[in-house]
Amino acid sequence: MLTTIQNALKTKEIRMKLLYVLIGLVIVRIGCNIPIPGTKPDVMQNLFSSNQSLGFLDVMTGGSFSRMSIFALNITPYITASIILQLLTIAIPRLEEMQKDGEDGRKKINEYTRYLSIALAVIEGAAIVIGFRNQGLFGTDNPQSSMTTAIVVAVAALTAGAAFMMWLGEQITEKGVGNGISIILLINIVARIPNDLSNLYQNYVAKPTDVTSKIIAAVIILAIIVAMFVFIVFLQDGERRIPVQYAKKIQGHKVSGGQSSHIPLKVNTAGVIPVIFAQSLMQTPVIIASFLGKGNGNGIGSKILKGLSQSNWCDPKEPVYSIGLIVYIVLIIAFAYFYTNITFNPLEIANNMKRSGGFIPGIRPGKPTSDYLNQILNYIVFIGAIGLAFIAFVPIFFNGVFNADVSFGGTSIIIIVGVVIETLKQIESQMRVRYYKGFLDD
């Protein structure tokens, strides 16, 4: 990794692209600290300190949500819109045709994604502002006209901030290096890590009085973090390669085909999407109840909401709420299969192989190939889903048992590793293309 970065910095073209990315990320961090006019940041801080269920939103927005800044929505509407459009391509034939229609079709789908992102930003912004109004975010001593004006300004600011973040992400993709949206999401998560490490140090390293306990605590924390990153790297890069042989074709005096290739089936085919789906499904009722000021009673509804909240899982004092953790793990596995099935079509791949004269050694072309791919896929998806569930479980376990409250959970680490690996691969690819261009020019 260090070699790749050093070589990239020696190349002027890539160095300028990296500088463009850096400037964009600086703008993101500045905007995350500019509060919306008319809001009370101290009210938000008190609300977040008393309600850990909102932490998921704060992690994805780099702390801007707890500050109620102009970038409080960040890129979450765009991510949601992208997932929705991706799911709709399976249900709507017209969108499926667009996706297969090359560059023009993808541009049209990206345009639909932008429109949907703005619509979601307006809806989410209005819901958040109206919900937090009940918590005193805008104060209660203002006249009704002033309150209405403050709400309209807040919704407009949140929508404009989300639209700007979407535009900036696309600009980074076009003029910088890597996927701009993913890089913005990465910097949001990384921005919270120093504060989390400081909390871990204060609670587990600085508190013990003897030096031995301090060293043991520091070694254990470091070992767990490193082990998590290493495990995720193996999970992200792990793949099963299915060998493919292409039949030879004789056309006149020319012989074509006969090459060997492979189909790479990634162990973690769905990436971080199953964890995001499961978290969103579990946390949405809790967040809505928080906006409405509900969920603090002793009724059955409040107990269900506590069971859905991650902050109550793995608590030795109240083990009954850990049932929600079991549901969470089941949802991760189920969503891993669901997302893989809608994004990877073994029958289509088998038909394409048959048309191009390819076959898997020992497997007949057509449906037998499709069945074989489906069988292998189900096997490796299960392994990937168990790996995702384990990654999501570890931070929750330490949070519940040892009260190690950190924001960089399993989802965050997967995103960090995935984005870093993908960005480095793109840097290497651009350097390789530049090298070949220079070689051909010579």
Side-chain angles (χ1 to χ4, degrees):
M1 181 177 72
L2 292 176
T3 304
T4 301
I5 295 175
Q6 288 175 356
N7 293 334
L9 293 176
K10 294 176 182 178
T11 307
K12 181 178 180 181
E13 180 183 352
I14 298 179
R15 189 166 63 242
M16 295 305 296
K17 289 184 176 182
L18 292 174
L19 179 61
Y20 189 91
V21 174
L22 179 61
I23 293 174
L25 296 182
V26 170
I27 294 173
V28 170
R29 294 313 305 163
I30 292 175
C32 288
N33 289 277
I34 301 176
I36 296 174
T39 59
K40 294 184 176 181
D42 57 326
V43 174
M44 288 297 298
Q45 295 296 333
N46 294 334
L47 181 62
F48 270 76
S49 62
S50 61
N51 193 334
Q52 297 181 357
S53 302
L54 300 174
F56 173 66
L57 295 175
D58 206 35
V59 171
M60 294 301 173
T61 60
S64 61
F65 190 78
S66 61
R67 302 185 190 98
M68 194 47 64
S69 74
I70 56 175
F71 288 167
L73 290 180
N74 222 273
I75 56 172
T76 53
Y78 184 86
I79 294 175
T80 305
S82 299
I83 294 174
I84 291 174
L85 261 296
Q86 195 168 12
L87 295 176
L88 287 178
T89 54
I90 308 300
I92 302 177
R94 175 59 180 161
L95 290 177
E96 188 176 5
E97 291 177 5
M98 285 184 183
Q99 193 176 40
K100 297 178 181 179
D101 196 24
E103 188 66 23
D104 293 337
R106 284 192 292 270
K107 286 183 178 179
K108 201 67 177 177
I109 290 179
N110 289 338
E111 185 178 346
Y112 292 157
T113 304
R114 295 188 195 100
Y115 292 146
L116 183 58
S117 300
I118 299 300
L120 289 175
V122 174
I123 296 171
E124 292 177 12
I128 290 172
V129 171
I130 294 173
F132 282 138
R133 180 192 60 180
N134 300 329
Q135 308 293 332
L137 177 63
F138 300 99
T140 57
D141 54 343
N142 293 331
Q144 186 63 34
S145 58
S146 300
M147 178 71 73
T148 303
T149 302
I151 291 174
V152 172
V153 170
V155 174
L158 289 172
T159 304
F164 178 79
M165 293 289 278
M166 176 180 63
W167 174 83
L168 183 60
E170 292 179 346
Q171 293 302 306
I172 291 176
T173 302
E174 181 181 348
K175 301 178 182 178
V177 179
N179 185 295
I181 299 297
S182 299
I183 291 176
I184 290 176
L185 184 58
L186 171 67
I187 196 63
N188 287 338
I189 295 172
V190 171
R192 296 291 305 273
I193 291 181
N195 183 56
D196 290 332
L197 293 178
S198 175
N199 291 337
L200 289 175
Y201 176 80
Q202 295 295 332
N203 293 331
Y204 299 100
V205 180
K207 271 188 177 182
T209 54
D210 58 305
V211 178
T212 304
S213 299
K214 292 177 182 290
I215 294 175
I216 292 175
V219 169
I220 291 176
I221 293 173
L222 183 62
I224 292 173
I225 294 175
V226 171
M228 287 284 288
F229 273 97
V230 171
F231 180 75
I232 292 173
V233 169
F234 278 103
L235 185 67
Q236 290 291 95
D237 277 355
E239 62 182 24
R240 171 74 178 273
R241 296 185 175 183
I242 308 298
V244 178
Q245 183 70 37
Y246 289 91
K248 291 184 178 180
K249 297 180 181 179
I250 301 177
Q251 297 177 342
H253 297 287
K254 294 182 179 180
V255 179
S256 62
Q259 299 96 347
S260 297
S261 182
H262 66 269
I263 302 174
L265 298 180
K266 293 181 69 65
V267 174
N268 186 21
T269 309
V272 75
I273 296 298
V275 181
I276 294 178
F277 276 7
Q279 276 189 332
S280 300
L281 192 61
M282 298 286 286
Q283 295 298 313
T284 297
V286 181
I287 293 173
I288 293 175
S290 300
F291 287 164
L292 299 177
K294 307 291 183 180
N296 297 322
N298 297 319
I300 184 66
S302 297
K303 291 182 177 180
I304 292 175
L305 289 174
K306 288 181 180 179
L308 295 176
S309 176
Q310 292 187 13
S311 58
N312 298 316
W313 297 345
C314 295
D315 188 351
K317 298 178 182 178
E318 296 179 305
V320 66
Y321 294 127
S322 296
I323 296 175
L325 175 60
I326 299 175
V327 177
Y328 179 55
I329 292 174
V330 172
L331 285 175
I332 290 176
I333 297 174
F335 280 129
Y337 276 98
F338 170 75
Y339 191 79
T340 301
N341 286 334
I342 66 174
T343 56
F344 187 90
N345 191 341
L347 182 59
E348 184 179 352
I349 292 177
N351 291 334
N352 291 337
M353 287 172 53
K354 186 177 181 179
R355 283 193 292 267
S356 58
F359 63 92
I360 299 174
I363 307 295
R364 288 184 299 170
K367 192 175 185 306
T369 298
S370 173
D371 294 339
Y372 176 77
L373 290 175
N374 198 48
Q375 179 183 357
I376 298 297
L377 189 64
N378 287 334
Y379 173 71
I380 65 174
V381 166
F382 180 75
I383 296 176
I386 293 298
L388 281 177
F390 175 76
I391 294 167
F393 166 76
V394 171
I396 294 172
F397 172 79
F398 282 98
N399 183 26
V401 177
F402 300 103
N403 197 28
D405 186 19
V406 294
S407 64
F408 58 95
T411 308
S412 303
I413 299 177
I414 295 172
I415 293 173
I416 291 173
V417 172
V419 174
V420 169
I421 291 176
E422 184 62 30
T423 304
L424 288 174
K425 286 181 179 178
Q426 290 200 25
I427 292 175
E428 289 179 349
S429 176
Q430 291 193 20
M431 290 177 62
R432 195 176 298 115
V433 170
R434 186 181 181 280
Y435 170 79
Y436 284 134
K437 284 182 179 179
F439 176 77
L440 293 173
D441 290 341
D442 293 339

